[in-house]
Amino acid sequence: MSDCPIVSTPLGKVSGFALAKAKCPEAQQVYGYLGIPFAKPPVGNLRFKPPQSADAWKGTRNGKKKYPPGPMQSTRTVEIIAKYVANYRVADENPRYVDEDCLYLNVFTPKLSNKANLPVMIWFYDGGFSAGSSVGYHGQTICGLQNVVLVVPQYRLNAFGFISFGKNSSCPGNMGLLDLKMAMEWTRDNILAFGGDPNNVTLFGRGISVSSHVISPMSRGLFHRAISCSGVANCNLVTKENNDVSTGFLLTELGIVDKDPEVILAKLRSMSAKKLMEAQEKSADYQENPLQKLDDFVTVVDGKFLPKHPRDLITDGDFAPVPFIIGCNNTEFCGVLADRFPEGFVTGELSEKQAI
């Protein structure tokens, strides 16, 4: 494998590694740079707040062969998803390693020249808003055969990324989507050093996240094409007016009875990330609808990122005027659903109480 050059970004230098070539004669060498911070760690007082720009670092950051920890998510969900997601090991990685300090991205490129001007693709991993990470997603094939630069950012999930207390509160929700917006801003400002063209960026992957950015006025100009591989935002199951039900279940599990959002947020910020995640995992069992247990906290109409429900923004023609491909996956999510639904789901023998 070829030596991997050190890349200088506006925030500092980062080292990388050379991936094994894809098994095609025409495949190019691809270089990977893992765990680059695009925002400050969303911990302590920054928990439940919009992402803040990352600080610069001294020296050369090690981006070799170690994926960043995934966002906070329940052990139960990780184990279910892990059964059905292909994971090709290209670096030292642990798909079950999670941490609240998760706002990092990985870059893969076949050409390291600020004059290469290659198309850029930003991948939003699947797993709903309750599971997923950048582990296992790499550019060995897509970059090596299609001559593009791939960016794979992580974003906050579950209550950490989507708890909300109303449009007029200090926590209106959608922090996870704002994480992705900041990752797009990082791409705009840094991708030239990795051989990418900041004026030729395509979003693809998790359809709800992708289409939310197509619709949101806050993301305009940060991308130029979009591909939704699984679902869209104008679905009542994944975009709501508020997350009051899931928030209420979580607070009940934690024994929090306060009504003032600021008092509640202060108590939630004082807890360990592990305790909060365990409480959310237990509170999910309060949901009677098995589908809802998959995404206890989802996108909401927060008045800023989503000023209206997506269906209304679409009706108004208020969305990014970019080429947009919408699709779905064969046997969409069937394996995961079978694990989540109660006995009798496959045969259609659910009781009236269990039925959706």
Side-chain angles (χ1 to χ4, degrees):
M1 284 186 273
S2 306
D3 292 335
C4 186
I6 291 175
V7 173
S8 295
T9 76
L11 293 179
K13 296 180 179 180
V14 59
S15 62
F17 68 107
L19 281 72
K21 285 188 179 181
K23 295 180 180 180
C24 298
E26 66 273 26
Q28 300 182 73
Q29 178 65 63
V30 175
Y31 303 98
Y33 297 82
L34 307 179
I36 303 173
F38 65 87
K40 291 180 180 177
V43 300
N45 289 332
L46 294 183
R47 181 185 284 177
F48 308 132
K49 289 186 178 180
Q52 308 295 309
S53 298
D55 293 325
W57 60 87
K58 295 181 180 180
T60 300
R61 185 177 179 86
N62 186 356
K64 299 178 180 181
K65 299 194 175 184
K66 188 173 182 180
Y67 279 82
M72 291 300 298
Q73 52 202 283
S74 76
T75 302
R76 178 175 64 184
T77 302
V78 171
E79 294 298 331
I80 291 173
I81 296 294
K83 296 181 193 176
Y84 304 101
V85 176
N87 188 356
Y88 300 97
R89 184 174 293 276
V90 299
D92 295 335
E93 56 198 38
N94 179 358
R96 293 166 178 78
Y97 174 38
V98 299
D99 195 280
E100 191 174 7
D101 179 6
C102 64
L103 298 185
Y104 300 89
L105 55 78
N106 309 319
V107 180
F108 302 91
T109 178
K111 288 187 176 68
L112 287 162
S113 167
N114 58 13
K115 296 182 180 179
N117 285 325
L118 298 181
V120 179
M121 302 190 74
I122 304 179
W123 170 255
F124 295 168
Y125 51 74
D126 212 338
F129 297 118
S130 58
S133 76
S134 64
V135 171
Y137 297 114
H138 57 84
Q140 184 184 52
T141 301
I142 192 171
C143 298
L145 295 179
Q146 301 301 326
N147 207 30
V148 299
V149 177
L150 175 67
V151 179
V152 186
Q154 296 195 144
Y155 59 101
R156 285 171 284 179
L157 303 170
N158 296 293
F160 297 90
F162 294 94
I163 197 170
S164 56
F165 290 91
K167 298 176 184 178
N168 298 320
S169 73
S170 64
C171 180
N174 295 338
M175 292 78 71
L177 294 177
L178 294 175
D179 294 340
L180 289 174
K181 173 180 173 288
M182 179 155 283
M184 289 189 280
E185 292 171 345
W186 182 96
T187 301
R188 176 195 62 197
D189 299 336
N190 293 270
I191 207 63
L192 194 66
F194 294 90
D197 181 357
N199 297 309
N200 187 1
V201 176
T202 299
L203 308 181
F204 75 127
R206 167 70 168 167
I208 298 159
S209 301
V210 170
S211 62
S212 293
H213 286 283
V214 172
I215 293 167
S216 174
M218 294 182 69
S219 301
R220 305 279 162 85
L222 293 174
F223 63 97
H224 311 91
R225 297 170 185 81
I227 304 169
S228 281
C229 300
S230 171
V232 287
N234 57 320
C235 170
N236 290 332
L237 184 65
V238 295
T239 303
K240 299 182 177 181
E241 291 297 329
N242 57 66
N243 273 324
D244 289 355
V245 173
S246 295
T247 300
F249 287 158
L250 175 62
L251 298 181
T252 297
E253 179 63 32
L254 290 168
I256 297 176
V257 297
D258 303 271
K259 301 301 181 183
D260 186 337
E262 296 307 315
V263 173
I264 296 171
L265 285 166
K267 289 186 176 182
L268 293 176
R269 289 187 177 114
S270 70
M271 298 176 183
S272 70
K274 182 180 179 181
K275 179 179 180 179
L276 187 56
M277 192 65 249
E278 288 175 346
Q280 186 192 320
E281 185 173 0
K282 292 178 180 177
S283 69
D285 291 332
Y286 299 168
Q287 300 273 12
E288 292 186 2
N289 184 339
L291 266 177
Q292 194 57 53
K293 293 181 183 182
L294 295 168
D295 285 313
D296 304 307
F297 288 92
V298 295
T299 56
V300 295
V301 179
D302 61 357
K304 294 180 181 179
F305 185 86
L306 291 177
K308 298 180 182 179
H309 194 283
R311 63 172 175 266
D312 297 323
L313 293 171
I314 293 171
T315 299
D316 295 343
D318 189 6
F319 50 83
V322 299
F324 186 22
I325 297 174
I326 301 174
C328 62
N329 300 310
N330 188 29
T331 62
E332 179 86 32
F333 220 48
C334 285
V336 180
L337 288 178
D339 256 335
R340 281 284 184 163
F341 276 93
E343 185 178 355
F345 168 67
V346 175
T347 59
E349 297 174 353
L350 294 177
S351 68
E352 185 175 344
K353 184 178 180 180
Q354 291 173 316
I356 299 172

